[in-house]
Amino acid sequence: MFKDKTIAIERQRVENGGLIVFLVLITIALGLVVTSFLGALLWATLAAILFQPLFQRLLARWPGRRNRAALVALLIITVAVIIPALIVGSMIIDQAAGVYGQFRAGKINVASYFEQVHDALPQRLQQMLDSSGFGSFERAQAQISEAVSNSASMLAGRAFSIGANAAAFLLAFGVGLYVTFFLLRDGERLGPAVMRALPLERDVAQRLTDKFVAVARATIKGSVVVALVQGALGAITFWIVGLPAALLWGVLMAIAALLPAIGPAIIWGPVAIYLFATGAIWQACVVIVSGVVVIGLVDNILRPILVGRDTGIPDWLVLVTTLGGIELVGLSGIVVGPIVGALFLTGWSVLTEKRLGADAAGTP
């Protein structure tokens, strides 16, 4: 009797282990199968999370008509977000291609701009720059020119690759919209089902899920939206002062605004210095006033309104995970990086609490 029970337990362990191995292998296989659409699936999930309140409002207006509510929500997302983003993206690609063409034709000479700024500096600062440990003025000039040229070439190359892979982009775009519809419609059932399937305690799975949703919403609403507003204000400022490719510079400012401790000042600051050095005084003053008063205050005003609560992620971790995420998965890393960092902190926090609880329970 005892021997039969032991054999049954061992068989159950083997079967459970086999099931786990099967699940791991089939999950990896599924990831490889849909790897071309991972970005589309990620943004579809984020869109469904972000616009779930909109879907709920529409569903309250049409009770029981989930298909209609999801379809109208998807139409609103397309008209209000996707179409403007595609229009702005095409304009950015055109400007990037134009700047790259000017670099190739020699119409934009970064070295001469750098030399103008250098010559406009006081003599003492010129001597300090020339004799600094960073090398001679000519060497710094050449390095900056090469860095800007390489950046322009890379940006143009990305733009051309998007155009060359238009069919793949449209396919992924269609898949993303299709999945967003079903996630909006069935999200209330899918979320709890996924949480129940996780091999974790219920409260732990709930905490991780809540953290994922909170950081995803905070990153998109509190970081991406604020960065887009700052980039738009920067583009308008650069257009007012007559800077060429103002929209492209605004996009660079929006990207810089996503990074804590860096911010949009890394873009408008050098522009203001250049304008001062070249005698464009009022233009430089406009850039500085806009950067400090308008663009600088946007973060302090909009972020508390859009986010509403602290996500509990240190700024240094947001910076590192955002940069690492962009390096690893491209644009999606803006959201993926902070989410991974938040789940990392939450997971270790749960483990620490459990160990402390176990130690307290074992203390006589």
Side-chain angles (χ1 to χ4, degrees), residues 1 9 32 36 63 112 143 145 156 198 229 251 266 284 290 314 330-332:
M1 183 73 178
I9 293 175
L32 294 175
S36 300
S112 64
Q143 289 178 345
S145 301
L198 292 175
V229 172
V251 171
I266 197 173
S290 176
L331 183 62
S332 299

Side-chain angles (χ1 to χ4, degrees), residues 148-164:
V148 174
S149 300
N150 291 338
S151 300
S153 301
M154 181 187 68
L155 188 59
R158 290 289 180 89
F160 294 147
S161 65
I162 292 175

Side-chain angles (χ1 to χ4, degrees), residues 137-318:
F137 163 67
E138 290 79 7
R139 183 178 178 184
Q141 183 181 15
Q143 289 178 345
I144 292 178
S145 301
E146 183 180 358
V148 174
S149 300
N150 291 338
S151 300
S153 301
M154 181 187 68
L155 188 59
R158 290 289 180 89
F160 294 147
S161 65
I162 292 175
N165 298 325
F169 172 77
L170 291 176
L171 179 60
F173 180 73
V175 169
L177 287 179
Y178 187 72
V179 174
T180 302
F181 170 81
F182 287 101
L183 291 179
L184 283 171
R185 190 191 69 177
D186 304 326
E188 291 179 338
R189 294 190 293 267
L190 290 175
V194 171
M195 192 172 65
R196 287 193 300 269
L198 292 175
L200 299 170
E201 296 180 10
R202 185 65 179 269
D203 60 334
V204 174
Q206 186 66 52
R207 286 182 61 177
L208 293 176
T209 302
D210 292 343
K211 178 62 70 173
F212 173 83
V213 173
V215 174
R217 286 178 175 169
T219 303
I220 296 176
K221 294 169 60 178
S223 297
V224 176
V225 173
V226 171
L228 290 176
V229 172
Q230 291 181 315
L233 293 174
I236 294 173
T237 302
F238 294 150
W239 175 75
I240 291 175
V241 301
L243 195 72
L247 184 60
L248 182 61
W249 287 106
V251 171
L252 295 177
M253 184 179 293
I255 295 174
L258 291 169
L259 307 176
I262 296 178
I266 197 173
I267 302 297
W268 64 258
V271 172
I273 293 175
Y274 167 74
L275 292 174
F276 266 124
T278 55
I281 304 300
W282 74 266
Q283 292 93 333
C285 291
V286 168
V287 171
I288 293 176
V289 171
S290 176
V292 175
V293 178
V294 180
I295 299 174
L297 292 179
V298 165
D299 185 79
N300 296 328
I301 295 175
L302 286 184
R303 192 179 297 274
I305 296 175
L306 294 174
V307 179
R309 60 174 177 164
D310 186 16
T311 58
I313 310 177
D315 285 344
W316 66 267
L317 185 60
V318 174

Side-chain angles (χ1 to χ4, degrees), residues 1-11:
M1 183 73 178
F2 178 76
K3 184 177 181 181
D4 293 340
K5 188 176 180 180
T6 304
I7 294 175
I9 293 175
E10 290 297 329
R11 179 182 298 174

Side-chain angles (χ1 to χ4, degrees), residues 56-76:
Q56 294 298 332
R57 289 185 181 181
L58 294 172
L59 188 61
R61 184 174 182 179
W62 299 307
R65 299 181 177 272
R66 303 183 69 87
N67 284 333
R68 176 187 292 184
L71 187 60
V72 173
L74 190 63
L75 181 62
I76 294 174

Side-chain angles (χ1 to χ4, degrees), residues 341-362:
L343 293 179
F344 172 84
L345 292 180
T346 304
W348 280 100
S349 176
V350 169
L351 179 62
T352 302
E353 292 173 5
K354 287 186 172 298
R355 292 187 64 182
L356 292 176
D359 292 342

